[in-house]
Amino acid sequence: MPSVDAQSTPSPAEVDNLAELLSQLYTAPTSEECDAIARDMAAKILKDGLINLKTHGILTNLESEAKNKKSGLAREGALIGFCALAEVLGRPSEPFLLPFLPLILELYADKGPVVQDAASRAAQAIVANMPSQATPILLPILIQSIGGPGKKWQTKVGALQILADLSNASPIQIGIALPEIIPIVKDCLSDTKQEVADQAMKTMQRVCNVGGNPDIARHLKDLCECMAHPEKVPEVMEKLSATTFVADMNGPALAIMVPLLVRAMNERSAHIQRQTSIIIDNLCKLVKDPAEAGQFLPDLLPGLERIIDIAAVPEIRALATAAKNTLIKAGGATKADPATQTGSIVPTETEARSVVNKAVAKYGFFPSYFDVVKAHVAQLTMVLVKEENLSPREWISIIAPYLTAFIPIDDANAAVNMTAEHYIELDRKLNGDKEAEDSDEGEELCNTTFSLAYGGMMLLNHTKLRLHRGRRYGLCGHNGAGKSTLMRSIAQGKLDGFPSPDVLRTVFVEHALQGDQGEMSIVDFVASDVKLANTPRQDIVNALLSVGFTETMQKNKVASLSGGWKMKLELARAMLMNADILLLDEPTNHLDVANIKWLEEYLVGQTNVTSIIVSHDSGFLDNVCTNILHYERKKLKMYKGNLSEFVKVKPEAKSYYTLAATSVKFEFPKPSFLVGVKSNTKAIMKMSNCTYTYPGVAKPSMHNVSVQLSLSSRVGVIGPNGAGKSTMIKLLTGEAQPQEGTVWKHPNLRIGYVAQHAFHHLEQHLEKTPNAYIQWRYQGGADREVLEKPTVAMTPEELRQMETWVVGNDGSQRQVEQIMGRQKLKKSFQYEIKWKNHVHKFNTWMTREKLLELGFDKLVRQFDDREASREGLGYRELSTAAIRKHLEDVGLDGDIADHNMISGLSGGQKVKVVIAAAMWNNPHMLVLDEPTNYLDREALGGLAVAIRNWTGAVIMISHNTEFLSALCPETWSVEAGRVTINGKTAVQEGNFEDAEKPIVVVNKKKKKSRNEIKAQEVRRRLRHLEWLASDKGTPKPVDTDSD
């Protein structure tokens, strides 16, 4: 492009040429010829420079002819000229043409149809060039054309059409401006001109649809009709009251709903007031952004206070009071003006112009004619800063084209980059950014700015990610912050600005069940990966050998592996891919101490591989990480050093490091009385001489194992991966049946079981909310999970056993149909038997021992499980409120429990749902297989405190030694299918800050004499009195047989 100085002195020939084209523009006989002339003129201006718009008075001339009321041909030619300039010159023409848009919209009402058509084309051409960030600049023009005094109906219709189109092109900006747009469009809904009213209805529906709220979307037509016809408010409120609101309420959704709710609260009907109060209460719970709450919700406060004061029905006053409290809690008590908020880097218009002028001045002096371009660019920078978009790359793509109107593209890019850096520096100063700069030597793999959202939830907003080769980054944040979502987006190439897979190879290692591939051999499973199609089989075999898979093991099926070995298999597969970046999601889950040590040494030894690690194992992060990436206010902040160094800088993050420093408190329901068990040390479950072998495997997984548990048991099960820990738990809980030996449990014993792969409990219920899942699981009066276990179903042999004939006391032979009831008989039970082909009056009672002797143990166990489950539920009210409280007791937010589907929850939140569901029917024993997986440090501390304070039996498998040593005085060491029992006398309380007294576990002693019993009662009474006089909150001492 020629320099500006050269552009400012056109030759006489050029003047004559452009003047001739202008004159032909207004006299061309056809629209096609006129368009060709206009495009020639625009092409010449593009070639010679936009300064020609001034020197030849092009725009002034076009404006004059567009206002020529005597010549329709001249008006059409002028409009075609505007259209050609917009289409040929592109985005640089926008600042010059935008001021003429009101005139073009006025010509929508011209008497000549060809002029109307040319006006429509010109307006659409100008708007088409504009980026979405220019929408706030365009909206005042459209609003003036729609609602300004004396506007003709055709102009209103045209502006409404453009506004409707903008809702598709710029949904975010339209959403932000909805509070200004809705009143203007609403006035047009009742316009006397039917064409205006019809277009206003179409526009209203389209602009309201940008809210993206699925709960409101289904009612949009009714909401818009309600704006046009206020008498329909009761009908619409009736429909809304039948809607379950679950999606987050953002600014656009509130802008739609708040005016309707304000109007509804003014209705005299008590029924409408009641419905409105309930809807407001529900909506306020879903407002997550305090800034949006402060902008919209205060409009609802006067109406609620009015209902509280004047409503005649106490229930309505109570509902309105609850809604008011929820509104205040959401941050909607005081009106907040986004434009006056402090602590913002959004500049005033004067400041924005000054920054742009300073950046542009570095590349020369330019005629004042281009001041309009700089002013337009300054307005765009204000919009970008408001949106918190500080990405230089995006700024260049949006703004630089405007500056090419008078400077070369390279200079334009540099000027825009300088402007962006100015605001980035302001943001860094304002937010006190202590992010660690990677000043150390090393190859930079990635340096990008991006945003990340999941569904309708913004997880990271315009944050920076900078990675270097050989570093190991620990990714820290609370459950649900979006850690796994970030790594999955990187792995799938969906992260904006992240290098493509052919430039930077990333491998995502997460613990996932192999499902359909479980029947494949281990080596075939790895070889089946498409990314390893060209990898020699011997390399695969060697890689598996390097992580501990022997040649014999490699021939086994994937499904036969324990959780720890499956994770090692994923790691071996990742090693074969020679990744530049390893993305490790909970890599230590299911790994024993030896394998965790191996993984630490492997990662530290990979000097050419960068790792991003999500883990709740504080020791692992301490030993491995060189940097910590921390989620803070929807930003990623970088800190140098391992987790210990990070905690020194941010003491509030201490919950990542110790169990005691947790603000999360879990609480488990107290177990109910267990019939016949008066001592906490009496055995309630036994496994005697049990041996178990998996189908298709020659070697037994468990061999001659004998263990027992009492209500006071706190047992930690430890051992290497694949030793048989989970197998033993399955035998104890009835998930599997031993081929040799017996498993006995108290008939009334209720067990809360959380499996190793806890998510399998939820796989069939992903579309339910946590609250709805618990209701489904227990709605029949028993725990469906217990009743639907595969081991509960009758085998063919057991079904044949049901056909056997039983000889009665009178010598008659009968067949058992089912068990109808149960009652205590001495130290055992007897069962009411319903006989086949006999009515109920012929039912008889049989002892438990007799039924077991006849082979009906499965039938007896089914009935015992059902009765135990029903007894537990007798202490519970299966209501939404009670379930919500129960889920909150295990650390799950009540609103998430009621409104979010399980499929959208993070791993840690799902584990909380599973634990809560297992504890709902007041179990006597809690069985946890790897409970620490997926829980963050705060939740882990809360779980530890809850287990310590709970009075039931606990048996858990975990490789987290910190967790086990804090809670379990007894350990079962499993190795090669054999169990070694090691007992401790007390719980180690060192990991709890609020420790009082240890829980003492001692062995049962011989029967005491009468004098010993009296002395024992005296000691117990004294200890009880001492406890009554102690500080509030002191745990009550447990009475045992050996005081």
Side-chain angles (χ1 to χ4, degrees):
M1 184 178 288
S3 68
V4 174
D5 293 336
Q7 295 171 15
S8 59
T9 55
S11 65
E14 289 175 338
V15 174
D16 292 343
N17 190 7
L18 280 173
E20 184 180 344
L21 287 170
L22 267 175
S23 106
Q24 293 174 5
L25 187 65
Y26 308 127
T27 57
T30 65
S31 298
E32 290 77 10
E33 291 181 41
C34 184
D35 184 62
I37 293 168
R39 289 181 179 277
D40 289 343
M41 178 183 70
K44 184 167 183 58
I45 293 171
L46 179 65
K47 178 183 177 184
D48 297 338
L50 269 64
I51 191 67
N52 286 282
L53 292 173
K54 176 187 178 183
T55 56
H56 295 87
I58 302 291
L59 296 177
T60 307
N61 192 292
L62 291 174
E63 180 185 23
S64 175
E65 292 301 323
K67 294 179 179 178
N68 187 347
K69 295 185 178 180
K70 296 181 180 180
S71 172
L73 204 61
R75 296 197 299 277
E76 182 191 8
L79 292 169
I80 291 174
F82 281 125
C83 181
L85 288 174
E87 291 179 348
V88 175
L89 300 181
R91 190 172 291 181
S93 67
E94 180 190 315
F96 302 103
L97 298 180
L98 200 57
F100 299 102
L101 187 58
L103 170 61
I104 295 171
L105 289 171
E106 291 289 346
L107 290 173
Y108 272 54
D110 196 274
K111 294 180 180 179
V114 291
V115 177
Q116 294 175 12
D117 182 61
S120 176
R121 285 178 52 204
Q124 290 173 6
I126 293 171
V127 173
N129 284 327
M130 303 177 72
S132 59
Q133 287 76 13
T135 300
I137 304 171
L138 174 62
L139 279 177
I141 297 173
L142 296 179
I143 290 173
Q144 182 62 27
S145 298
I146 294 170
K151 298 296 180 183
K152 296 184 178 179
W153 70 267
Q154 294 95 334
T155 297
K156 292 183 178 182
V157 170
L160 286 167
Q161 287 173 337
I162 293 174
L163 183 57
D165 292 338
L166 279 177
S167 64
N168 291 336
S170 310
I172 294 175
Q173 289 73 21
I174 291 293
I176 294 171
L178 273 183
E180 306 167 47
I181 294 172
I182 286 179
I184 298 296
V185 180
K186 186 177 73 172
D187 291 343
C188 293
L189 291 171
S190 55
D191 198 279
T192 54
K193 196 69 177 177
Q194 191 60 41
E195 287 87 344
V196 176
D198 291 344
Q199 183 58 49
M201 178 60 71
K202 294 176 184 177
T203 301
M204 181 66 84
Q205 291 184 21
R206 289 181 65 181
V207 298
C208 288
N209 201 37
V210 303
N213 188 299
D215 304 325
I216 294 177
R218 67 178 76 119
H219 299 297
L220 271 183
K221 187 174 181 181
D222 292 325
L223 290 170
C224 295
E225 286 282 351
C226 188
M227 294 178 192
H229 306 286
E231 66 276 7
K232 292 187 177 182
V233 167
E235 178 186 341
V236 174
M237 293 305 298
E238 196 71 40
K239 292 181 179 179
L240 288 174
S241 66
T243 301
T244 302
F245 291 93
V246 296
D248 287 350
M249 295 297 294
N250 53 15
L254 289 171
I256 298 166
M257 290 295 297
V258 167
L260 171 65
L261 295 172
V262 169
R263 178 174 287 176
M265 282 189 289
N266 291 326
E267 293 285 325
R268 292 185 177 180
S269 166
H271 180 61
I272 298 299
Q273 291 178 350
R274 181 182 183 278
Q275 290 177 329
T276 307
S277 298
I278 294 172
I279 292 172
I280 292 173
D281 189 27
N282 291 333
L283 292 189
C284 290
K285 292 174 182 176
L286 297 172
V287 180
K288 303 301 182 186
D289 188 347
E292 290 177 341
Q295 185 179 358
F296 296 100
L297 296 185
D299 294 339
L300 300 173
L301 201 55
L304 286 173
E305 290 175 340
R306 176 177 165 274
I307 292 175
I308 294 170
D309 290 339
I310 69 170
V313 182
E315 181 199 7
I316 296 176
R317 294 199 300 270
L319 289 171
T321 302
K324 177 185 174 182
N325 294 336
T326 307
L327 184 147
I328 293 171
K329 182 180 177 182
T334 54
K335 192 74 174 176
D337 183 0
T340 60
Q341 287 181 356
T342 59
S344 170
I345 63 169
V346 178
T348 63
E349 190 169 348
T350 304
E351 292 169 344
R353 287 193 182 191
S354 173
V355 174
V356 172
N357 289 337
K358 182 179 177 181
V360 171
K362 189 174 181 181
Y363 300 95
F365 174 76
F366 305 100
S368 59
Y369 182 67
F370 294 109
D371 287 350
V372 66
V373 177
K374 291 186 277 188
H376 191 78
V377 166
Q379 287 182 289
L380 285 173
T381 62
M382 292 171 63
V383 174
L384 287 165
V385 174
K386 275 183 185 176
E387 293 178 358
E388 296 185 4
N389 183 349
L390 299 180
S391 166
R393 183 167 51 83
E394 292 189 38
W395 279 49
I396 289 171
S397 67
I398 294 167
I399 296 176
Y402 294 104
L403 298 181
T404 59
F406 56 93
I407 58 176
I409 184 63
D410 290 341
D411 292 346
N413 291 344
V416 174
N417 192 63
M418 185 185 302
T419 306
E421 287 296 334
H422 169 80
Y423 293 106
I424 291 172
E425 183 61 29
L426 286 180
D427 181 63
R428 188 174 290 122
K429 291 178 180 178
L430 176 66
N431 293 322
D433 192 356
K434 299 178 181 179
E435 182 174 330
E437 292 295 331
D438 268 326
S439 56
D440 300 338
E441 293 182 4
E443 178 188 350
E444 185 177 87
L445 298 181
C446 163
N447 190 354
T448 185
T449 302
F450 65 94
S451 295
L452 181 68
Y454 180 79
M457 188 186 304
M458 181 65 73
L459 301 174
L460 291 169
N461 189 15
H462 297 294
T463 191
K464 182 179 179 182
L465 179 64
R466 189 181 184 198
L467 304 175
H468 282 73
R469 187 176 294 280
R471 304 288 175 80
R472 296 174 297 280
Y473 300 90
L475 191 59
C476 292
H478 60 82
N479 278 339
K483 303 183 291 294
S484 296
T485 303
L486 171 60
M487 296 212 294
R488 196 169 286 111
S489 299
I490 293 173
Q492 295 173 354
K494 295 181 179 179
L495 197 67
D496 190 26
F498 198 85
S500 60
D502 54 338
V503 176
L504 199 63
R505 192 163 191 178
T506 60
V507 178
F508 188 24
V509 180
E510 60 177 338
H511 187 86
L513 294 175
Q514 281 73 23
D516 297 339
Q517 296 173 313
E519 295 302 311
M520 300 174 66
S521 71
I522 292 169
V523 68
D524 289 339
F525 168 74
V526 177
S528 66
D529 194 309
V530 292
K531 295 179 181 178
L532 299 175
N534 299 321
T535 304
R537 191 175 182 86
Q538 188 57 45
D539 290 352
I540 296 174
V541 171
N542 293 337
L544 289 169
L545 285 170
S546 70
V547 298
F549 287 93
T550 63
E551 292 185 2
T552 304
M553 287 181 66
Q554 292 182 28
K555 298 175 184 177
N556 293 340
K557 295 178 180 179
V558 172
S560 69
L561 295 177
S562 68
W565 279 103
K566 283 180 180 176
M567 178 54 75
K568 290 187 76 174
L569 180 61
E570 296 285 355
L571 290 167
R573 188 164 58 163
M575 289 164 57
L576 284 164
M577 295 179 185
N578 298 320
D580 295 303
I581 297 179
L582 276 180
L583 305 170
L584 303 167
D585 191 5
E586 302 291 356
T588 62
N589 279 6
H590 314 296
L591 292 184
D592 56 28
V593 176
N595 282 319
I596 291 175
K597 181 69 174 174
W598 169 84
L599 179 60
E600 290 174 357
E601 292 173 353
Y602 171 76
L603 292 176
V604 172
Q606 299 296 308
T607 55
N608 289 323
V609 178
T610 297
S611 303
I612 301 179
I613 306 163
V614 172
S615 178
H616 295 131
D617 187 335
S618 57
F620 177 72
L621 291 179
D622 249 356
N623 295 334
V624 169
C625 292
T626 59
N627 300 78
I628 297 294
L629 285 168
H630 191 230
Y631 277 74
E632 295 178 19
R633 295 183 302 164
K634 297 183 181 179
K635 303 282 186 186
L636 279 179
K637 300 292 184 181
M638 178 86 74
Y639 296 84
K640 282 190 175 181
N642 60 10
L643 190 62
S644 300
E645 296 299 319
F646 166 62
V647 170
K648 290 177 184 177
V649 178
K650 288 195 73 73
E652 63 269 26
K654 190 181 178 185
S655 60
Y656 290 115
Y657 203 67
T658 63
L659 291 177
T662 176
S663 59
V664 175
K665 300 296 181 187
F666 288 10
E667 185 179 344
F668 291 162
K670 184 179 179 180
S672 58
F673 176 70
L674 191 56
V675 177
V677 179
K678 298 179 181 178
S679 169
N680 284 343
T681 58
K682 183 177 181 179
I684 56 174
M685 179 180 282
K686 294 180 182 179
M687 187 160 67
S688 304
N689 305 318
C690 287
T691 299
Y692 180 79
T693 306
Y694 279 102
V697 180
K699 186 178 179 182
S701 297
M702 299 300 299
H703 183 73
N704 197 30
V705 173
S706 298
V707 293
Q708 63 179 1
L709 294 162
S710 67
L711 283 175
S712 61
S713 293
R714 289 288 193 280
V715 179
V717 184
I718 59 175
N721 293 131
K725 302 183 297 295
S726 296
T727 303
M728 184 173 67
I729 293 296
K730 289 179 180 178
L731 292 174
L732 275 171
T733 58
E735 295 280 322
Q737 296 296 320
Q739 285 91 4
E740 298 178 20
T742 59
V743 177
W744 173 87
K745 72 179 183 68
H746 191 286
N748 280 8
L749 181 66
R750 291 188 300 278
I751 301 173
Y753 179 48
V754 178
Q756 182 181 62
H757 307 295
F759 302 161
H760 96 268
H761 296 278
L762 307 174
E763 285 170 357
Q764 307 301 321
H765 311 282
L766 297 179
E767 78 289 350
K768 294 184 176 73
T769 64
N771 200 310
Y773 165 66
I774 293 181
Q775 290 188 49
W776 169 88
R777 182 165 165 176
Y778 291 100
Q779 65 184 356
D783 185 353
R784 286 194 185 183
E785 291 260 338
V786 173
L787 302 182
E788 294 179 5
K789 285 180 183 178
T791 53
V792 172
M794 290 283 191
T795 64
E797 293 78 10
E798 289 163 341
L799 289 174
R800 284 194 295 271
Q801 173 66 28
M802 295 292 292
E803 301 296 325
T804 58
W805 294 90
V806 179
V807 180
N809 293 332
D810 58 357
S812 62
Q813 290 189 334
R814 303 175 182 178
Q815 289 177 316
V816 174
E817 181 176 335
Q818 62 180 332
I819 296 176
M820 300 296 295
R822 186 184 71 178
Q823 67 182 20
K824 195 86 171 60
L825 178 66
K826 297 181 180 179
K827 292 186 177 182
S828 183
F829 289 93
Q830 62 177 351
Y831 296 82
E832 182 184 359
I833 306 300
K834 165 74 171 62
W835 303 101
K836 283 184 182 178
N837 303 320
H838 289 72
V839 296
H840 287 277
K841 71 177 183 178
F842 293 104
N843 289 2
T844 59
W845 293 87
M846 292 185 70
T847 64
R848 177 184 180 87
E849 291 72 23
K850 181 67 174 177
L851 284 170
L852 296 178
E853 179 186 336
L854 292 171
F856 293 105
D857 49 335
K858 177 66 73 71
L859 192 66
V860 171
R861 189 165 62 251
Q862 286 179 342
F863 188 83
D864 286 343
D865 287 343
R866 186 159 53 247
E867 285 299 296
S869 183
R870 284 180 178 174
E871 181 186 308
L873 293 175
Y875 299 94
R876 287 288 198 177
E877 178 190 0
L878 197 66
S879 65
T880 301
I883 295 173
R884 177 189 174 108
K885 172 67 168 59
H886 178 67
L887 286 161
E888 288 175 339
D889 285 343
V890 294
L892 190 70
D893 182 83
D895 292 334
I896 292 177
D898 286 348
H899 305 303
N900 289 34
M901 288 194 295
I902 291 173
S903 59
L905 303 185
S906 69
Q909 290 167 333
K910 287 179 180 176
V911 170
K912 292 174 184 176
V913 173
V914 173
I915 292 174
M919 298 298 293
W920 174 254
N921 66 343
N922 294 357
H924 305 100
M925 177 182 292
L926 181 59
V927 181
L928 301 169
D929 194 347
E930 301 280 8
T932 58
N933 296 340
Y934 305 103
L935 290 179
D936 60 20
R937 295 293 305 177
E938 287 209 345
L940 194 58
L943 177 62
V945 172
I947 291 174
R948 185 199 62 184
N949 295 337
W950 194 54
T951 56
V954 178
I955 177 171
M956 68 181 87
I957 298 173
S958 179
H959 295 302
N960 189 321
T961 54
E962 175 191 15
F963 191 74
L964 284 184
S965 63
L967 295 167
C968 299
E970 183 179 357
T971 57
W972 296 350
S973 179
V974 184
E975 190 160 355
R978 298 180 183 273
V979 178
T980 304
I981 300 176
N982 300 299
K984 293 186 178 180
T985 57
V987 174
Q988 181 181 334
E989 293 284 344
N991 286 321
F992 293 107
E993 288 181 351
D994 61 339
E996 296 283 339
K997 294 182 179 180
I999 299 173
V1000 178
V1001 180
V1002 296
N1003 295 323
K1004 187 174 180 180
K1005 295 183 178 180
K1006 65 178 182 179
K1007 188 175 180 181
K1008 297 179 176 62
S1009 66
R1010 182 178 299 180
N1011 288 337
E1012 287 174 336
I1013 292 174
K1014 287 182 177 180
Q1016 182 188 56
E1017 289 175 351
V1018 170
R1019 290 195 299 272
R1020 286 184 177 179
R1021 193 177 306 112
L1022 290 173
R1023 187 167 64 250
H1024 184 70
L1025 291 171
E1026 181 185 356
W1027 173 71
L1028 290 174
S1030 64
D1031 294 337
K1032 187 177 180 181
T1034 301
K1036 184 177 180 179
V1038 178
D1039 286 337
T1040 66
D1041 284 349
S1042 56
D1043 285 325

